[in-house]
Amino acid sequence: MTTFRKTTFHKTTIALLAAIVTVTGAGYAMADERGPRGAERFERLDADSSGSVTFAEFSAPMLERFNEADADDNGVVTAEEIAAALEGRRAERMAERMIERFDIDGDEQVSADELVNRQEKMFALMDRDDSGAVTEDELPRRFARHGGQRGGSGDRN
């Protein structure tokens, strides 16, 4: 490998590792004046509850995320592996938010009845005149602006 390619490879590797640390939040900040969130982060890092965080405890979340991203277990991560890991975490967070939003009975599952219940409540809020139908005037502005759907071609006031 030429010197130029080695240098480029090393820079790319460093940039990818920095992206893992930055994007996945593995490099937690120590507790400071930031209040409860800083204290929570510190407690998560202090795995043995000793009141102090060693380098091993500090680096463990980053290494865990790195290993999760290393899909082929070859000890290095590619841009594709990082992208797949980030997309997987994003999809997982979205799914968790949907469960929180729609799961009425707290069983961490969403039934068709729970989904319909949520939709009925949303519809009732939009149907301001209680007519059983929603007119364009009753639609929230975000729907009216986008033609009632994301990316629609409605008027963008």
Side-chain angles (χ1 to χ4, degrees), residues 10 14 22 37 56 59 70 73 90 95 97 112 116 132 138 145:
H10 289 295
I14 290 169
T22 302
R37 293 190 80 192
S59 63
D70 185 12
D73 293 320
R90 185 178 146 265
R97 283 193 299 264
V116 169
E138 291 174 306
R145 270 194 311 241

Side-chain angles (χ1 to χ4, degrees), residues 15-154:
L16 289 173
L17 290 174
I20 289 173
V21 171
T22 302
V23 174
T24 63
Y28 291 104
M30 295 296 203
D32 59 6
E33 302 84 47
R34 296 177 194 200
R37 293 190 80 192
E40 288 173 20
R41 288 180 182 147
F42 185 86
E43 287 176 16
R44 279 192 301 242
L45 286 172
D46 186 13
D48 63 3
S49 300
S50 66
S52 62
V53 175
T54 64
F55 178 74
E57 290 171 317
F58 180 78
S59 63
M62 178 183 64
L63 292 174
E64 183 179 327
R65 299 267 170 77
F66 178 89
N67 289 331
E68 289 173 7
D70 185 12
D72 58 8
D73 293 320
N74 67 349
V76 296
V77 291
T78 64
E80 292 82 13
E81 287 174 316
I82 292 171
L86 293 174
E87 183 61 31
R89 291 186 59 76
R90 185 178 146 265
E92 186 176 318
R93 284 191 305 271
M94 287 176 61
E96 288 170 356
R97 283 193 299 264
M98 288 181 71
I99 294 292
E100 288 173 13
R101 188 174 301 138
F102 293 97
D103 179 25
I104 296 170
D105 62 11
D107 65 356
E108 297 185 11
Q109 301 177 69
V110 176
S111 68
D113 288 341
E114 289 171 317
L115 183 65
V116 169
N117 181 287
R118 172 74 176 198
Q119 293 300 103
E120 286 173 342
K121 287 178 182 178
M122 290 175 64
F123 186 85
L125 288 171
M126 287 189 294
D127 183 16
R128 288 180 272 174
D129 64 2
D130 294 323
S131 66
V134 176
T135 63
E136 189 172 352
D137 292 343
E138 291 174 306
L139 281 177
R141 283 185 218 154
R142 69 174 184 255
F143 284 98
R145 270 194 311 241
H146 299 292
Q149 56 189 337
R150 287 186 182 178
S153 58

